[in-house]
Amino acid sequence: MLSTWVALVAAMSRDQVALLRQETVDMFYHGYDNYMNIAFPEDELQPVACAPLARDTEHPENIVLNDVLGNYSLTLIDSLSTLAILASSPSDYNGKAKAQRSFGEGVALLVEHYGDGSKGPAGEGIRARGFDVDSKVQVFETVIRGVGGLVSAHLFAIGELPSPGGRKDAVRTLWRDGFQYDGQLLRLAHDLASRLLPAFHTHTGLPYPRVNLRYGIPFYFNSPLWQDLEEGQCEATKTGSPEITETCSAGAGSLVLEFTTLSRLTGDARFEQLAKRAFWEVWSRRSGIGLIGAGIDAESGLWSGPITGIGAGIDSFFEYALKSHILLSGSGVPTAETQSEEESWQDDPNAFLRALTDEENSADAFLSTWRDAHFAIKRHLYRDVHHPHYINAHINTGSPQALWIDSLGAYYPGLLTLSGELDEAIETSLLYTALWTRYSALPERWSTRDGRVEGGLGWWPGRPEFIESNYHLYRATRDPWYLYVGEMVLRDIKRRCWTRCGWAGLQDVRTGELTDRMESFFLGETAKYLFLLFDEGHPLNSLDAPFVFTTEGHPLLIPRSARGRVRHEPGPGSARDDVCQAPPVSIPLSVSATAARRDVFHAASFTKLHLMPDRSNLESPLVEYAHDHPSINLGDLQSPTNYTFYPWTLPRNFIPSDGTSSKLGVRTTLDIQFPAVTPNILVGQQTLTQVAEGIAIHSLEGVRLGMVLEEGASNGGSAFRIYSIGNFALGRDEKVFIKREVLGNVADPYFARVRDAAMLDLVVDPREEGGSNGTDTSSQGDMSPDDVIHIPPDDLKLAQSMPDVLNSLLQQLSFGLRDASPAPPTPTDRAKDTRPYQRIPAAAATGTGAAAMPDGVEADEARGQEAAGLPWRRIYMGDEACTGKLPQEAASEHDVIVLQRGGCSFSRKLASIPSFAPSRRSVRLVVVVSFEARDGEVEIRPLLDEVQRTPGGLARREPLPMVLVGGGARTWRLLGGARAVGVRRQWVVRSQGTVVGNLIVV
């Protein structure tokens, strides 16, 4: 009771929230009214020059403007859903009636200028018939701003989203001067989207990045659109330089929400199928570690570069993976028919592209994609050093490539919140909040290595991503911390971005220089999310329906009448298996669980907030900081001590008086430099080779290894991981391979080769299929000849990671290590057997009865010595060996005894082996095959908890070494048909007694 009362008293008051809500409304109208009075019907407003901003027709290559500005009143379209949200608020604020009036007038003005979307006379507007304008625009921007804005406004206009008129049946009160709404916005959206369809005429299903709204794609010469299906002749006139065909993962894969909703509302399935196919085409090209690239070529389907991350070029792909699942939840699989009788294949790119499966159309498939993508991001891009953040890495290896974050990546905490990953969302959001506190905005890029703006990219054009995530976090936690973050954002925008004619972006967050452009998304998203943050009772905040905000901030949902019958039953990977994380609980007598987190200072330290001045010391620190943060003044210093406590609007009583910070996340690292015997040696291709799963080292001379100590290794404890070789960075799962001969007798305590006591390889020479092996016949116990099946080596796929790698890489390593000019082959060499040995991972026994491997029996893997390369050729195949004892010859006339796991203890199996006089012909090894281990995996070591005994109960004078192998029937057949068997010891490298986990000795 007391803690609840304290929290209510200390949290932001309703009057204060109402004041911030009103300030947000005023901020919106200052921009919107100036746009309508100065710039409409052009696309955007120049708030400094107080002039319209239109396409740069003199410089068509100016894609910064021309990709977005399509000459169709973009800011009005982008603002309609914000007006609808302002109008549908139950809160009493100054300007609510104006919002209702402005929404109706805005719809009427669009229809007046661009027609009603019909084919008759009413379809002709003052400016154009629909969007029949000569504008080459970017497909992605046009979909998310234009199509998404129109469809969302239509849903508000018909009352499917909270009605601007207050009630669903009161929408008609919005229209004035005889205007009647009958779906004009939806028809205009269909017109605009139809003009984008030529961009989907590619062989890959990935859309071209740009399209002319009037003429289509005459500049993409290789499109199948210009290939006559009957004559096979190109119809396009190839003039000028080829158009760039590179798009991005976000641009190609983030069309599903808008196009699916449009298809469901109009019954035209073309859009939904094209958008989904483009999404799956991007995802199908993910790397082996589950990462996707930023740039991708629409014609070849190849990645344009090797770098990946969570920000620019990729961001909304992950967003649409999860949000497509939400939007499609409860909806049926759409009909596969997309082409009407009136349409030709030129009108519908689906006609020559593969049909989507029911699975690809389902909501569950998108959820599965998000889960897999999030796993890969957390595994390869997430870094928790100093404070959690995400790096930019190589798509195939996960190795670090660039150490910066961008302002677009600030969407990610909001996406994590929607997916239920609340703790990761909060810790990630802290970094962006601290960064905003430092610069009173978010720079486009910020270096996590240097702690400063990266490469001069310091602009902030009014982006909404950080405010969007802050809104979602507040809705999930109700922590007043996020209200104060919103207040900080609002005050900084008003202080830094206001102009007489609107709101300008910041060209440089460090100097406060303005850019003369008010992006349409400032009114369409930034103002919208701030308003919803401060409008607790807005119906959208409690709407019980699968609605989503698009990446442009437009609310969308599929009406019940358009969802269809559900034909796809949720599988084991569906949402019903998920449990969202509960919001953190506040510490008793505290106000904010976020403010009381023990890692709050970590983000402050990471962004160097602790170097900012406080009221008691305003001399040199303030002067030094001014060049990096000139917007700071004495009136802004509102924190209890300095800006280490953030946001700067946070009240003093939110900071626990006895609060403590947890230890900063640092890692133990170790650098090892091997001496260079050869003068001026350079580490290059002669020393290192890129192989399938990492790097092969051919020589240690001059090599420098960087290692980091990590907890939670595969052995359950800690292990070193090599993260760099010289200047080559390695990914988290990359391995380093080195031949044992290269290691030699290195015995340095920081890098010592030691034999692995637990694991070894059972090396098998498989019998040639269908032929005689020419060796002594192996006994098969109770098995019949039909039970022994000889499997071709290519079919034997053992999944244990280390041996699997060894099988595939040993030949590469041998090639890299052999002499550059080998001797020519002799006739004898040509006759030698060159079939590969098969490796089976084996776990050595442990416990009181365990025996060491016999000396001098390690397999010689060099072929060309017939089967003599492997020492044991006589193999006895037994059973579980749990009752009675084996035949005498099993022990005295065979090298290896193979038994089945189960039925009794490992010690009991050994007790079934008869006593024998040790000789060169007697048994040397006992192999137990597990039929439970999957595909060769060995998860345990055989435990021999008592001394080995003979069948008569006497202690065995010569204990037998035992190993356990997996693979079940596959391994059993392989051993039963083997020509010879040997063992190959595994080696590991330890540094100061700790294993180097990703160094594989081969």
Side-chain angles (χ1 to χ4, degrees):
M1 290 287 291
L2 178 60
S3 63
T4 302
W5 176 81
V6 171
L8 290 174
V9 170
M12 185 178 286
S13 68
R14 290 184 178 180
D15 289 343
Q16 188 176 0
V17 173
L19 179 61
L20 294 172
R21 181 170 59 242
Q22 185 62 57
E23 289 186 38
T24 303
V25 173
D26 295 341
M27 179 187 75
F28 171 82
Y29 277 119
H30 179 64
Y32 180 78
D33 288 345
N34 275 291
Y35 164 74
M36 295 301 294
N37 294 331
I38 297 172
F40 180 81
E42 299 302 334
D43 286 311
E44 288 183 347
L45 168 70
Q46 290 181 278
V48 178
C50 297
L53 182 63
R55 292 178 58 81
D56 188 353
T57 55
E58 295 183 0
H59 302 91
E61 72 280 0
N62 183 5
I63 59 175
V64 173
L65 280 181
N66 294 335
D67 270 0
V68 177
L69 307 187
N71 198 24
Y72 52 78
S73 308
L74 177 62
T75 295
L76 175 58
I77 293 176
D78 230 358
S79 300
L80 284 177
S81 63
T82 305
L83 283 168
I85 287 172
L86 295 179
S88 58
S89 172
S91 302
D92 186 17
Y93 65 87
N94 183 24
K96 182 176 180 178
K98 180 180 179 180
Q100 295 175 347
R101 183 175 64 254
S102 297
F103 179 80
E105 292 174 350
V107 174
L109 280 171
L110 275 178
V111 174
E112 179 182 347
H113 282 76
Y114 301 99
D116 67 355
S118 66
K119 296 181 179 180
E124 187 72 40
I126 296 175
R127 301 195 87 194
R129 173 176 285 276
F131 297 99
D132 182 23
V133 291
D134 185 8
S135 299
K136 185 167 75 172
V137 295
Q138 190 186 91
V139 173
F140 170 65
E141 292 289 353
T142 306
V143 169
I144 66 172
R145 301 197 198 201
V147 176
L150 290 167
V151 173
S152 180
H154 167 75
L155 291 170
F156 279 110
I158 64 175
E160 288 292 345
L161 288 170
S163 169
R167 301 187 316 275
K168 189 169 184 176
D169 59 354
V171 178
R172 61 181 181 275
T173 62
L174 299 172
W175 320 119
R176 300 175 183 274
D177 301 327
F179 179 83
Q180 296 292 323
Y181 185 77
D182 61 1
Q184 293 95 324
L185 294 178
L186 182 61
R187 293 195 294 273
L188 285 173
H190 187 272
D191 176 86
L192 181 57
S194 298
R195 297 176 184 277
L196 304 178
L197 291 185
F200 290 85
H201 280 85
T202 66
H203 293 289
T204 62
L206 299 166
Y208 285 116
R210 295 175 181 86
V211 65
N212 187 291
L213 294 179
R214 175 175 292 168
Y215 299 113
I217 55 168
F219 33 78
Y220 291 122
F221 306 141
N222 296 324
S223 171
L225 186 62
W226 304 119
Q227 189 71 23
D228 190 289
L229 292 181
E230 295 182 359
E231 302 297 330
Q233 297 176 347
C234 182
E235 299 175 353
T237 302
K238 297 184 179 181
T239 59
S241 60
E243 183 75 11
I244 295 174
T245 57
E246 177 188 347
T247 184
C248 62
S249 295
S254 305
L255 313 173
V256 178
L257 300 181
E258 294 85 356
F259 269 17
T260 295
T261 307
L262 177 63
S263 284
R264 298 301 177 96
L265 290 171
T266 62
D268 188 342
R270 293 178 298 171
F271 308 105
E272 179 176 354
Q273 295 298 289
L274 290 170
K276 286 179 175 178
R277 185 182 294 104
F279 177 93
W280 294 121
E281 290 296 335
V282 172
W283 184 240
S284 69
R285 289 165 170 81
R286 64 191 180 280
S287 69
I289 59 175
L291 298 175
I292 61 172
I296 189 170
D297 189 272
E299 290 186 343
S300 68
L302 300 177
W303 297 116
S304 306
I307 298 181
T308 184
I310 64 166
I314 306 177
D315 48 0
S316 55
F317 178 88
F318 303 129
E319 182 184 357
Y320 275 42
L322 178 64
K323 290 183 176 180
S324 295
H325 163 72
I326 298 172
L327 181 73
L328 293 168
S329 296
S331 294
V333 175
T335 175
E337 186 67 34
T338 60
Q339 191 174 339
S340 66
E341 294 181 358
E342 294 81 14
E343 293 170 345
S344 66
W345 70 271
Q346 289 95 338
D347 298 315
D348 183 13
N350 290 288
F352 64 89
L353 294 169
R354 68 173 182 85
L356 297 181
T357 65
D358 281 0
E359 178 66 19
E360 289 173 320
N361 274 305
S362 70
D364 288 346
F366 288 96
L367 177 61
S368 178
T369 299
W370 159 246
R371 287 171 170 168
D372 292 344
H374 176 245
F375 176 84
I377 291 170
K378 190 71 179 287
R379 177 67 183 169
H380 300 287
L381 308 185
Y382 178 87
R383 293 293 183 271
D384 58 359
V385 177
H386 209 140
H387 186 80
H389 60 283
Y390 303 89
I391 64 168
N392 300 277
H394 195 285
I395 183 176
N396 292 319
T397 66
S399 59
Q401 300 293 304
L403 302 178
W404 48 258
I405 60 176
D406 61 8
S407 62
L408 285 169
Y411 81 98
Y412 199 60
L415 182 60
L416 290 169
T417 302
L418 291 176
S419 68
E421 303 291 340
L422 201 51
D423 189 65
E424 186 182 351
I426 293 172
E427 66 182 13
T428 306
S429 175
L430 287 177
L431 176 58
Y432 289 105
T433 306
L435 200 57
W436 182 287
T437 303
R438 175 174 175 179
Y439 293 104
S440 293
L442 286 184
E444 184 71 4
R445 284 187 187 175
W446 185 78
S447 171
T448 58
R449 180 187 59 191
D450 303 327
R452 64 184 64 180
V453 172
E454 169 81 11
L457 305 180
W459 59 80
W460 181 72
R463 292 198 190 280
E465 287 78 12
F466 172 59
I467 298 99
E468 173 190 3
S469 288
N470 188 73
Y471 160 72
H472 287 304
L473 278 164
Y474 177 68
R475 298 308 310 165
T477 65
R478 299 297 198 277
D479 190 327
W481 159 283
Y482 300 102
L483 294 175
Y484 286 102
V485 173
E487 181 186 9
M488 173 182 70
V489 170
L490 179 61
R491 303 228 176 281
D492 284 336
I493 290 174
K494 293 178 65 177
R495 177 166 55 87
R496 306 192 73 190
C497 302
W498 182 91
T499 71
R500 181 170 57 88
C501 295
W503 302 99
L506 295 173
Q507 184 62 33
D508 194 322
V509 297
R510 298 166 294 183
T511 65
E513 177 188 356
L514 297 178
T515 181
D516 195 10
R517 182 180 182 183
M518 186 175 76
E519 293 262 14
S520 68
F521 55 64
F522 181 79
L523 300 180
E525 295 185 81
T526 305
K528 177 183 296 166
Y529 286 121
L530 277 173
F531 179 81
L532 288 172
L533 174 68
F534 298 131
D535 194 27
E536 176 73 27
H538 197 282
L540 269 184
N541 288 332
S542 57
L543 184 61
D544 185 17
F547 87 98
V548 294
F549 290 98
T550 70
T551 195
E552 190 69 13
H554 295 303
L556 292 179
L557 60 75
I558 299 175
R560 291 184 180 277
S561 59
R563 292 180 189 175
R565 179 178 298 180
V566 178
R567 287 161 43 198
H568 180 78
E569 289 297 324
S574 64
R576 65 181 61 175
D577 299 324
D578 285 345
V579 177
C580 293
Q581 294 177 355
V585 179
S586 298
I587 298 174
L589 301 182
S590 69
V591 182
S592 166
T594 304
R597 285 176 64 100
R598 298 185 65 196
D599 60 349
V600 168
F601 175 73
H602 297 183
S605 172
F606 195 32
T607 55
K608 302 187 184 303
L609 290 184
H610 60 294
L611 300 182
M612 295 182 69
D614 59 40
R615 292 181 181 276
S616 62
N617 182 13
L618 299 177
E619 297 177 1
S620 60
L622 182 60
V623 175
E624 292 174 6
Y625 202 78
H627 79 279
D628 203 27
H629 200 90
S631 61
I632 294 297
N633 56 58
L634 299 183
D636 293 329
L637 296 174
Q638 312 229 346
S639 293
T641 55
N642 59 24
Y643 270 76
T644 300
F645 299 99
Y646 59 95
W648 61 261
T649 49
L650 196 68
R652 184 186 300 268
N653 59 3
F654 271 55
I655 310 301
S657 58
D658 58 349
T660 59
S661 174
S662 59
K663 186 178 179 180
L664 281 172
V666 295
R667 290 183 174 181
T668 301
T669 59
L670 177 66
D671 279 2
I672 298 178
Q673 177 75 56
F674 293 91
V677 179
T678 305
N680 302 320
I681 186 172
L682 296 177
V683 177
Q685 292 183 351
Q686 298 300 319
T687 303
L688 307 176
T689 301
Q690 183 83 42
V691 292
E693 296 191 36
I695 300 292
I697 299 179
H698 307 308
S699 171
L700 288 173
E701 187 176 0
V703 170
R704 177 170 55 86
L705 300 179
M707 301 194 298
V708 60
L709 186 65
E710 294 184 333
E711 302 295 333
S714 57
N715 60 5
S718 59
F720 278 107
R721 176 175 64 85
I722 299 176
Y723 67 88
S724 67
I725 305 176
N727 294 325
F728 297 97
L730 272 67
R732 185 181 296 276
D733 291 339
E734 281 196 282
K735 300 177 178 66
V736 178
F737 303 94
I738 186 167
K739 269 204 164 187
R740 66 186 73 187
E741 292 85 357
V742 175
L743 282 175
N745 296 317
V746 176
D748 189 290
Y750 291 97
F751 199 80
R753 185 188 78 165
V754 295
R755 182 172 289 173
D756 191 336
M759 295 297 298
L760 52 87
D761 291 328
L762 198 63
V763 184
V764 182
D765 184 9
R767 181 182 302 164
E768 186 175 358
E769 185 176 16
S772 172
N773 62 15
T775 65
D776 293 346
T777 303
S778 301
S779 299
Q780 307 300 325
D782 296 329
M783 297 177 62
S784 67
D786 293 336
D787 293 328
V788 182
I789 302 175
H790 306 297
I791 300 180
D794 290 343
D795 292 341
L796 296 166
K797 300 177 181 178
L798 304 179
Q800 182 82 350
S801 61
M802 184 181 301
D804 198 25
V805 170
L806 300 183
N807 278 332
S808 62
L809 297 180
L810 185 59
Q811 203 167 22
Q812 299 180 47
L813 294 180
S814 299
F815 177 82
L817 290 169
R818 68 188 181 199
D819 292 337
S821 300
T826 65
T828 304
D829 291 331
R830 293 191 185 98
K832 291 174 182 177
D833 190 357
T834 58
R835 287 178 294 105
Y837 289 140
Q838 300 296 316
R839 291 168 171 264
I840 306 173
T846 185
T848 306
M853 287 291 160
D855 294 332
V857 298
E858 189 148 333
D860 181 358
E861 295 192 66
R863 302 297 296 194
Q865 302 174 16
E866 298 180 352
L870 300 181
W872 301 320
R873 301 166 61 196
R874 296 168 300 122
I875 304 168
Y876 179 86
M877 305 297 292
D879 51 19
E880 290 183 346
C882 293
T883 59
K885 69 176 183 177
L886 299 179
Q888 182 63 42
E889 61 270 17
S892 58
E893 299 296 331
H894 291 86
D895 301 311
V896 179
I897 294 177
V898 182
L899 305 175
Q900 298 176 8
R901 184 183 178 188
C904 58
S905 68
F906 293 106
S907 295
R908 178 67 187 87
K909 293 180 187 297
L910 288 175
S912 70
I913 299 175
S915 301
F916 61 93
S919 70
R920 296 186 62 181
R921 296 185 61 83
S922 62
V923 64
R924 311 296 297 278
L925 177 68
V926 177
V927 179
V928 179
V929 179
S930 174
F931 287 75
E932 299 175 3
R934 298 168 298 173
D935 296 331
E937 294 181 358
V938 182
E939 300 177 351
I940 65 168
R941 298 175 63 183
L943 176 60
L944 302 178
D945 53 1
E946 58 180 327
V947 296
Q948 293 189 26
R949 299 188 179 276
T950 66
L954 300 176
R956 194 180 293 277
R957 295 182 60 183
E958 299 288 342
L960 291 169
M962 171 185 277
V963 297
L964 176 67
V965 298
R970 236 180 227 182
T971 301
W972 186 265
R973 294 166 188 155
L974 177 63
L975 291 172
R979 290 156 47 108
V981 174
V983 293
R984 181 80 165 170
R985 304 296 179 92
Q986 291 186 8
W987 296 79
V988 296
V989 172
R990 292 184 179 271
S991 180
Q992 305 172 82
T994 301
V995 69
V996 182
N998 65 331
L999 180 59
I1000 311 300
V1001 182
V1002 297

